[in-house]
Amino acid sequence: MPNPMWPPRTPRPSASRRPRTARSGPARSALPAAALAAALLIAGCSGGGDTEPPGSTSAKMNPSAAATPTWAPVTGTPQVIPAVRSFRRADGRGWRPSDGARVVVPAGEKSNVADEAQRMAKDLGGLPVVYGDQTVRPGDIEVKLSGKNTAGQPDNVPVRGTADEAYTLTASGTRLTLTAPTDAGIFYGTRTVKQAARAAGGLPEGTIEDRPDRPQRGMSLDNARKPFSQDWIDARLREIADLKLNQFQLHFSDDQGFRIQSDTHPQIVSADHLTKAQVRQIIALARSLHISVVPELDSPGHLGAVLDHYPDLRLRNAQGRVIPGAIDISNPKAAPLIDSLLTEMSELFTNPKGAPAYWHLGGDEYQALMSSSPSTSYPQLARAARQKYGSAGTVEDLTTGWLNDRQKTVEAKGKNRVEAWNDGFFSSPAASADKNRMVDYWTGKEAGKRDPAAFLREGRNVMNFNDEYLYYVLGEPNQFTYPTGQRIYQSWTPMVIRGTQPVAVPASMTGPDRIPGARFAIWCDLSQAQTPQQVAGGIRLPLAALAQKTWDPRTPALSWTQFQALANRV
């Protein structure tokens, strides 16, 4: 689709850079008072008639029911992040939030878009919301579904793809009409209205047709090494929702802490943790913002906080030295311990019926496999592998079998979108990783590294976590540097999975069905290097850039300077 702001351009080539050996601001909920006051000042009222806006079929139109607001025309293109995919300009003054404006919901107060309309009304300074067969007056916003999910349907109906996240916004005759096939699309349309009001006072006359390119767009938080409060997490959820990101991964267990209340193993829980009630509240907020939560309980490595209370299950090498954070997967008591935690946490992280139910198994940096000769260094693992897989069985096979068994545990609790880090996948004939497990590709520097092209060619889907661009590692250890929004914006795309160049596979393997998107990851290796407030400030522009590059596959129309200025306004 041609860019409405600029002629088509050839995408810029990627610019040219972790070892995760130790992978190791309050939300703004309403239009600022100054911006709203300015909008209301120029949006006065005068007499005059208007015609029905395009597509308005569910509410009465009575031009004489209210005076037509007058304001300075909203000019240019919609000022939002991510930029809209299509804007057809028309002649007129556009739409601004004005004195007397309302949000009209023809489907009624019980419809599953009522909450979206109420949120938008609050964001715009507290506009009234009216329901049912109402007259759509000058200055109003009409919100309606084009799909089947109307009154009586549950909130947050699961989306099946990017088409369900699409929306249309038409500013015509001082009225604004928002339509979408699902309430997710309605929600994204409300984010566009909110941002446009902040950035430019409103929307220009014309029609926006918008939808994302990649279906999975999000942020990952290491809450294990550094605990973040529920308020901080809630604020980030609202922030990423405004950017139309739809996933939040929570890494809650590692060597430094187990940060969620456990009733089955209370002794492993760190003093600073989230209660189950708090987690349920986080999940509920995320769901209301159309964000899927992806829990991560990492194993068989990164289990130090658990193993502090189960020392007999720690992995030891041939010399008897304890390997920090690693569990001995040959010990028959190891699997029941981890499965009991997976079961308990799977029951906490619930999912609506029919919605994608995510779980992240971890699988990275198992120290036994970082040895030059795992079978020599860990003879107990080698023996267990031969017993399970025959004389040719390897420690890699045993580790693959471990993750396959953990996947069965969470699948038994309803999880149907299972992921693991790329260094938890191995090439060996005796055991193969479950074919339904997605590869989360973060690095290509590990021992036995595999190019992301290999995973795509064997038919696996690959999520982009490229540590060259998308890893915010506190304290910048191991040659990491804090990623910048500018570098993501100018040099990265979802096809740049490792390093700085697009993955070398046919274009048919790089579409949204194979590379579903990306997540920006915050890792707290040196946990005291930044305060939570500093982290929030540091990730703001990178998240905005990620949102732009996963929503729209075209080269951005704005320069980085223009984009940064817009991000500061919205």
Side-chain angles (χ1 to χ4, degrees), residues 495-512:
M495 284 78 81
V496 180
I497 300 175
R498 182 175 77 172
T500 60
Q501 299 300 316
V503 60
V505 293
S508 61
M509 296 183 185
T510 63

Side-chain angles (χ1 to χ4, degrees), residues 27-28 81-82 187-188 191 194-195 217-221 232-249 285-286 289-293 518-520 522 539-540 542-544 546-547 550-551:
R28 297 168 293 183
I81 294 175
F187 175 73
Y188 293 137
R191 301 306 86 195
K194 174 184 177 180
Q195 285 197 22
R217 313 170 302 278
M219 183 186 90
S220 175
L221 177 66
W232 193 95
I233 293 172
D234 287 351
R236 300 291 77 70
L237 289 173
R238 294 187 176 97
E239 177 182 356
I240 67 174
D242 279 355
L243 293 169
K244 303 183 177 78
L245 300 177
N246 63 5
Q247 290 186 330
F248 173 65
Q249 181 175 330
L285 175 61
L289 298 170
H290 300 273
I291 294 171
S292 295
V293 178
R519 293 186 206 128
F520 183 85
I522 299 103
I539 66 178
R540 185 178 65 87
L543 285 171
L546 177 79
T550 53
W551 187 271

Side-chain angles (χ1 to χ4, degrees), residues 464-479:
N464 193 324
F465 278 84
N466 189 337
D467 66 348
E468 180 77 21
Y469 295 93
L470 307 180
Y471 259 40
Y472 193 94
V473 185
L474 266 59
E476 301 182 306
N478 303 316
Q479 300 179 318

